[in-house]
Amino acid sequence: AFSAEMGLDIRERVRLLQALRQAVESERLFVVYQPQVNLISGEVVGVEALIRWRNDDGTFVPPDRFIPLAEASGMIVAIGDWVLRVSCHELVRLQAMGLPNLRMSVNVSQIQFRHPEFLDKLNAALLDTGINPKCLELEITESVAMEDPAFILETLHMVRELGISIAIDDFGTGYSSLSHLRQLPIDRLKIDRAFVTELSQEVSGGHIASMVIELGRNLKLTVIAEGIEEESQAQTLLRLGCHEGQGYLYAKPLTAVQLKEWLQTRAEHL
Ligand code: C2E
Ligand code: MG
Ligand code: MG
């Protein structure tokens, strides 16, 4: 089913998988960080870690293309653990720059989340880097949060016991059971980019975004919007009661070096 989904035939999949193995070995994977801002104050509240794969010729293989393959092959467990460690180390450096409360959001795949060693690895990353667990947030997608409710509930509780917070990514794209959602120990809903884009369209725009924000209010969850590209979208989100966002309007995902420059320039202008 995944080959059809990805539009790749077997040969193409095998080739890509070999290339991914080589990319891991030759360290062609790296992590970029996209700022998350408070929409009222403009303050940077966090960054989301996003993986990148650069080919020798300088072109990129998009995560949407290789993450499913990394999941199907099990490589995502090692890759995800690496992203977690790299991001936690980067958080230490960023916080030392004078942003002591900065939050790091890390995407966690379903396969990684279900791996028997997941919690041990999470704990090890905390201990090795010494970060404040309160500044670490894991993003799991809505579909993951809704599958196998008993297992998810238990795992999320254990993640929360470590002090780590949890965001539901791509919220609004799945079919959440509201009674299940209400039971989950989560902190944040992340409005999917599609519903932010919709805010600029005149007709019936913003319905889903406003429903998610309302839901967040009722469940006492923070709501963050992703994919904000226009000032008008930010204004509408603010008016609807969403106070955090990320998107090209503020910054594209940046390398660690670019992010430091971006943060410095921004601090000078505030
Ligand atoms: P996501 O977690 O929902 O990440 C948001 C995606 O939207 C990112 O794409 C980001 O670059 C893009 N984006 C941010 N702002 C804007 C905007 O204003 N306009 C537009 N058009 N796009 C924007 P990216 O980096 O290509 O990642 C795609 C997906 O791949 C992510 O979606 C996430 O599901 C997955 N992914 C990325 N890194 C990791 C990782 O380390 N682990 C796992 N498991 N998944 C990852
Ligand atoms: Mg995400
Ligand atoms: Mg998302």
Side-chain angles (χ1 to χ4, degrees), residues 35 44 52 58-59 71 73 142 188 195-196 221 223 243:
V44 182
R52 291 292 176 267
T59 59
E71 288 177 330
S73 64
E142 185 184 1
R188 207 179 309 277
F195 309 120
V196 173
L221 302 171
V223 176
H243 298 159

Side-chain angles (χ1 to χ4, degrees), residues 48 107 139 141 169-171 190-193 226:
E48 177 177 9
N107 294 284
E139 295 192 1
T141 59
D169 205 353
D170 304 338
F171 195 79
K190 200 163 184 185
I191 307 175
D192 190 73
R193 182 168 81 225
E226 67 176 11

Side-chain angles (χ1 to χ4, degrees), residues 36 48-50 105-108 138-141 167-170 190 226 246:
Q36 301 179 329
E48 177 177 9
L50 294 158
S105 296
V106 179
N107 294 284
V108 174
L138 301 183
E139 295 192 1
I140 60 169
T141 59
I168 306 296
D169 205 353
D170 304 338
K190 200 163 184 185
E226 67 176 11
Q246 72 185 87

Side-chain angles (χ1 to χ4, degrees), residues 110 113-114 140-153 156 168-184 186 189 215 219 221:
Q110 141 116 297
F113 195 72
R114 291 178 176 280
I140 60 169
T141 59
E142 185 184 1
S143 50
V144 173
M146 291 303 136
E147 256 172 56
D148 194 351
F151 173 83
I152 292 294
L153 194 63
L156 291 183
I168 306 296
D169 205 353
D170 304 338
F171 195 79
T173 57
Y175 301 91
S176 283
S177 145
L178 294 184
S179 59
H180 176 45
L181 186 72
R182 197 180 50 189
Q183 292 177 354
L184 294 179
I186 55 176
L189 298 176
L215 188 63
L219 298 180
L221 302 171

